[in-house]
Amino acid sequence: MLIHVLGSAAGGGFPQWNCNCANCDGFRKGTLNARARTQSSIAISEDGEHWILFNASPDIRAQLASFEAMQPARALRDTGIDAIVLMDSQVD
């Protein structure tokens, strides 16, 4: 089984657009050595071609664009997503 982490941050991603905590502020100022992260989501596949997406956050476009298997280009319009499972609703 293949598991690909598409995002690993809390609702709103990291840094959060409306947060000024030490981490978010430090990241924006360049004083915190960290990487921006999108909201939590994973993709699972048994064969690397057919994927189940867990959670579809507002970051979905960026997450899918960063993972080549989601756009395998087998046809004019194509996706590697066979199903989507919505686990929770992180709307913050």
Side-chain angles (χ1 to χ4, degrees), residues 5-6 8-9 13-15 23 27 32-38:
V5 178
L6 295 165
S8 60
F14 174 78
N23 288 335
F27 180 83
L32 179 72
N33 183 17
R35 291 173 43 180
R37 294 179 291 134
T38 58

Side-chain angles (χ1 to χ4, degrees), residues 33-45:
N33 183 17
R35 291 173 43 180
R37 294 179 291 134
T38 58
Q39 198 164 316
S40 61
S41 181
I42 62 170
I44 297 177
S45 175

Side-chain angles (χ1 to χ4, degrees), residues 50-65:
H50 301 94
W51 293 85
I52 300 171
L53 178 66
F54 288 82
N55 279 348
S57 79
D59 297 324
I60 186 125
R61 185 176 186 277
Q63 291 172 339
L64 298 181

Side-chain angles (χ1 to χ4, degrees), residues 2 8-9 14 16 21 23-24 26-27 30 34 41-42 46 53 61-62 64-66 69 79-83 85:
L2 303 167
S8 60
F14 174 78
Q16 286 193 357
C21 72
N23 288 335
C24 291
F27 180 83
S41 181
I42 62 170
E46 289 191 75
L53 178 66
R61 185 176 186 277
L64 298 181
S66 71
T79 181
I81 301 171
D82 279 6
V85 178

Side-chain angles (χ1 to χ4, degrees), residues 48-49 51 67-75 77-81:
E49 186 175 345
W51 293 85
F67 185 38
E68 191 175 320
M70 291 296 152
Q71 180 32 278
R74 300 168 293 203
R77 292 188 180 263
D78 195 18
T79 181
I81 301 171

